[in-house]
């Protein structure tokens, strides 16, 4: 009875398990109608090390909305056999393995940290759009994506870029790296992008940019606004023969350079419709290391005008003052530290003497214990070797008595 009940319970568990896993298969159905251009799958949780019976719908365009997966791994994308366009929105997809026959990969606001691209020529992917995510650099091996036309990596956390990674991507027409934290562009001897039409580096932390070695014969749009640029090097008609729209507002260009640059640009006939402000700042600013930490309004606030001697003197005085305050503070911290160290040493030496006293006491206690043991040994009752006084007299008396009796009988 008991046994068959247990058996029944096990059977129920197995049935429930089977139902739940088949439910998983059934649940991966598009939220929109089957005839829709794309198939949206919402609120999925995928465990990349335990895929179970995960199956994606047979569809060429899948959108994963609010999906959670630590790694959209090779094993996961293998199960998306039919997918050629993949879009990921919201949710949390930390790492994405690039499926080798995708035409388009779009990921936005999905906490993506990297896209893993295999080291092999890829002639399929045309568009990569990873925006509002957590990328720290342009994905490695991007140079293998020979068919790439559009690369959008705006609103990530990219700090340095090596545009040389893109050298020779002959179909690349649009690059958007805006709203990152780019403060450094790794210099390359040549950067040829024969079909590039637009490049945006808006809203970054660049302090200078040098177009030496760039071969971009078709570039029409160049946006470098909202940086911390003090000057632009090698910007001329030879490098940019097709430029139509150039936008560099909200930088902190050096006046000594800016005025001539603007008057030069105004002579280019292609710039007829472009408005170029002559806005600039006098003087030199903080070291480039500081730019990364500060935004433009901060930088403006802290920049000095080297022509204004009085202002400069004030700045220096205030810096010296701050420096003194800091060093006073450091001194007081030092002396307080010294104080604490002394106290600690005192306490620890007291502790040491106490410790040695305790050790001494322990030795004494041990000795006492040994002595006690000796004393106890001595106090143990020993076999009587002498007869008590009264008994002896009694015995003597009795013996005398017996002798006396014997004598009388004789
Ligand atoms: C994913 O699956 C593995 C293997 O079954 C398991 O050990 C792990 O706890 C799972 N992780 C989560 C987050 O469920
Ligand atoms: C799939 O991606 C390619 C390349 O970006 C694009 O041309 C095509 O229109 C996309 N298909 C759909 C259905 O959006
Ligand atoms: C580059 O674009 C051209 C014309 O659009 C196309 O014929 C060629 O196949 C593309 N190259 C690659 C590697 O996809
Ligand atoms: C830049 O700094 C100013 C002043 O410190 C602040 O008001 C502003 O919100 C900051 N902007 C950004 C985008 O951090």
């Amino acid at each position: 009875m008991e046994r068959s009940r247990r058996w029944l319970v096990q059977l129920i568990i197995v049935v429930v398990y089977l139902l739940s896993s088949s439910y998983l298969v059934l649940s991966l159905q598009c939220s929109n109608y089957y005839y829709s251009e794309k198939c949206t799958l919402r609120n999925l949780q995928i465990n990349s090390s335990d895929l179970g019976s995960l199956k994606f719908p047979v569809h060429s365009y899948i959108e994963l909305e609010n999906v959670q997966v630590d790694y959209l791994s090779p094993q996961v994308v293998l199960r998306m056999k039919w997918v050629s366009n993949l879009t990921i929105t919201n949710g949390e997809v930390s790492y994405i393995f690039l499926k080798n026959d995708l035409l388009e990969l779009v990921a936005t606001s999905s906490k993506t940290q990297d896209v893993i691209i295999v080291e092999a020529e890829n002639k399929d992917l045309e568009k990569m759009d990873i925006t509002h995510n957590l990328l720290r650099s342009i994905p490695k091996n991007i140079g293998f994506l020979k068919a790439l036309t559009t690369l959008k990596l705006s609103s990530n956390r990219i700090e340095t870029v090596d545009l040389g990674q893109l050298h020779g991507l002959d179909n690349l027409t649009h690059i958007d790296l805006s709203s990152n934290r780019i403060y450094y562009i790794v210099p390359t001897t040549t950067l040829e992008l024969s079909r590039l039409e637009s490049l945006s580096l808006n809203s970054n932390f660049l302090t200078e940019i040098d177009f030496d070695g760039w071969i971009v014969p078709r570039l029409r749009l160049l946006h470098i606004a909202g940086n911390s640029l003090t000057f632009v090097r090698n910007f001329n008609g030879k490098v940019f023969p097709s430029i139509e729209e150039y936008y560099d507002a909200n930088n902190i260009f050096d006046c000594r350079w800016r005025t001539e640059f603007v008057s030069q640009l105004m002579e280019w006939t292609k710039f007829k419709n472009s408005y170029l402000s002559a806005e600039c700042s006098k003087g030199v600013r903080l070291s480039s290391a500081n730019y990364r930490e500060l935004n433009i309004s901060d930088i403006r606030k802290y920049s000095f005008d080297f022509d204004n001697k009085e202002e400069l003197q004030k700045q220096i005085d205030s810096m010296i003052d701050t420096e003194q305050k800091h060093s006073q503070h450091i001194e007081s911290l030092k002396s307080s530290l010294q104080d604490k160290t002394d106290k600690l040493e005192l306490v620890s030496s007291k502790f040491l003497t106490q410790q040695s006293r305790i050790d001494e006491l322990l030795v004494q206690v041990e000795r006492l214990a040994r002595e006690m043991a000796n004393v106890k040994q001595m106090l143990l009752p020993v076999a009587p070797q002498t007869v008590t006084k009264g008994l002896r007299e009694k015995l003597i008396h009795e013996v005398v008595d017996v002798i006396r009796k014997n004598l009388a009988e004789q």
Side-chain angles (χ1 to χ4, degrees):
M1 187 62 197
E2 183 62 26
R3 214 165 163 200
S4 66
R5 197 187 292 162
R6 197 176 299 160
W7 190 82
L8 193 66
V9 169
Q10 280 173 358
L11 184 69
I12 290 170
I13 289 173
V14 168
V15 168
V16 166
Y17 175 76
L18 287 178
L19 281 177
S20 72
S21 52
S22 65
Y23 172 73
L24 190 66
V25 175
L26 291 175
S27 76
L28 285 196
Q29 282 188 335
C30 316
S31 315
N32 30 16
Y33 296 110
Y34 69 92
Y35 52 79
S36 150
E37 170 174 75
K38 75 179 167 188
C39 163
T40 305
L41 300 169
R42 293 201 176 94
N43 310 328
L44 268 183
Q45 278 197 0
I46 302 171
N47 182 342
S48 67
S49 48
D50 184 7
L51 297 179
S53 52
L54 179 73
K55 260 191 202 148
F56 289 91
V58 177
H59 213 294
S60 66
Y61 187 0
I62 280 187
E63 176 180 32
L64 301 176
E65 199 184 303
N66 192 28
V67 164
Q68 299 215 332
V69 53
D70 49 338
Y71 181 22
L72 206 68
S73 64
Q75 290 74 29
V76 180
V77 300
L78 202 65
R79 297 189 183 203
M80 300 182 176
K81 218 176 292 169
W82 315 99
V83 178
S84 61
N85 295 38
L86 177 63
T87 295
I88 298 167
T89 49
N90 302 321
E92 197 168 338
V93 182
S94 307
Y95 296 91
I96 302 170
F97 179 82
L98 182 69
K99 184 175 182 274
N100 67 359
D101 55 356
L102 274 191
L103 300 179
E104 180 182 297
L105 173 64
V106 176
T108 53
S109 308
S110 45
K111 303 198 171 120
T112 301
Q113 296 177 33
D114 205 359
V115 177
I116 287 75
I117 302 169
V118 295
E119 237 174 283
E121 193 159 282
N122 177 324
K123 289 191 170 174
D124 291 302
L125 195 78
E126 292 171 23
K127 181 175 169 188
M128 184 186 284
D129 185 342
I130 314 288
T131 59
H132 291 99
N133 275 303
L134 307 173
L135 296 184
R136 293 201 165 269
S137 59
I138 298 178
K140 217 178 129 197
N141 297 334
I142 199 142
F144 287 99
L145 308 180
K146 298 297 179 198
L148 200 63
T149 61
T150 305
L151 178 64
K152 281 193 190 170
L153 303 176
S154 59
S155 299
N156 276 284
R157 298 194 177 162
I158 301 172
E159 295 195 341
T160 63
V161 286
D162 180 3
L163 293 173
Q165 282 177 281
L166 307 173
H167 173 70
L169 290 182
D170 290 331
N171 279 11
L172 195 54
T173 51
H174 303 286
I175 302 176
D176 184 356
L177 290 165
S178 60
S179 300
N180 274 285
R181 300 169 180 180
I182 302 168
Y183 67 95
Y184 186 62
I185 297 179
V186 178
T188 47
T189 43
T190 48
L191 174 62
E192 179 165 8
L193 295 165
S194 58
R195 292 209 188 152
L196 190 65
E197 292 177 19
S198 78
L199 169 63
S200 174
L201 286 162
N202 282 348
S203 303
N204 276 291
F205 297 131
L206 289 168
T207 55
E208 53 176 86
I209 191 164
D210 188 347
F211 294 108
D212 183 35
W214 286 45
I215 304 170
V216 284
R218 299 200 193 175
L219 193 75
R220 292 187 297 109
L221 270 67
L222 178 61
H223 289 189
I224 54 173
N227 275 281
S228 309
L229 291 165
T230 51
F231 52 81
V232 173
R233 270 191 229 267
N234 293 304
F235 187 114
N236 55 51
K238 253 200 269 166
V239 178
F240 300 116
S242 310
I243 197 115
E244 287 168 14
E245 187 182 316
Y246 169 69
Y247 185 54
D248 71 3
N250 288 319
N251 276 289
I252 43 177
F253 291 116
D254 190 320
C255 292
R256 282 164 288 190
W257 166 84
R258 184 66 173 172
T259 323
E260 204 193 321
F261 177 72
V262 171
S263 65
Q264 225 178 48
L265 287 195
M266 289 308 171
E267 285 167 19
W268 287 18
T269 46
K270 285 197 169 156
F271 272 124
K272 265 188 295 210
N273 301 322
S274 256
Y275 168 74
L276 264 184
S277 136
E279 187 195 348
C280 63
S281 330
K282 283 183 182 174
V284 186
R285 280 147 292 268
L286 298 170
S287 75
S288 67
N290 289 318
Y291 284 111
R292 288 175 59 193
E293 312 295 333
L294 300 168
N295 66 30
I296 286 184
S297 76
D298 287 333
I299 291 167
R300 289 220 170 87
K301 200 164 72 196
Y302 292 116
S303 63
F304 317 134
D305 179 356
F306 272 62
D307 296 337
N308 185 341
K309 296 277 183 278
E310 202 176 307
E311 181 60 28
L312 205 59
Q313 188 58 48
K314 250 199 269 173
Q315 288 281 3
I316 289 172
D317 288 348
S318 113
M319 274 166 72
I320 290 173
D321 190 46
T322 315
E323 214 280 319
Q324 270 174 357
K325 274 184 194 144
H326 280 180
S327 64
Q328 275 166 12
H329 187 55
I330 287 171
E331 274 310 310
S332 86
L333 281 180
K334 251 194 202 159
S335 84
S336 131
L337 183 67
Q338 186 59 46
D339 204 36
K340 294 220 162 95
T341 314
D342 288 350
K343 273 189 191 148
L344 185 69
E345 266 170 21
L346 201 69
V347 168
S348 76
S349 86
K350 266 190 194 158
F351 176 74
L352 274 180
T353 54
Q354 274 176 6
Q355 184 64 41
S356 76
R357 241 181 245 160
I358 287 173
D359 286 348
E360 240 168 61
L361 282 176
L362 279 176
V363 169
Q364 282 183 20
V365 166
E366 216 171 280
R367 213 176 52 221
L368 277 176
R370 256 186 279 124
E371 276 172 16
M372 286 279 285
N374 282 344
V375 169
K376 246 195 214 159
Q377 197 69 39
M378 287 184 340
L379 287 181
L380 274 182
V382 277
Q385 285 160 352
T386 48
V387 185
T388 43
K389 208 179 168 189
L391 190 60
R392 184 183 169 155
E393 275 161 5
K394 205 175 156 205
L395 274 173
I396 290 172
H397 190 76
E398 272 173 18
V399 169
V400 169
D401 223 27
V402 169
I403 291 172
R404 208 182 271 149
K405 267 183 198 160
N406 277 331
L407 282 175
E409 275 170 17
Q410 269 179 8

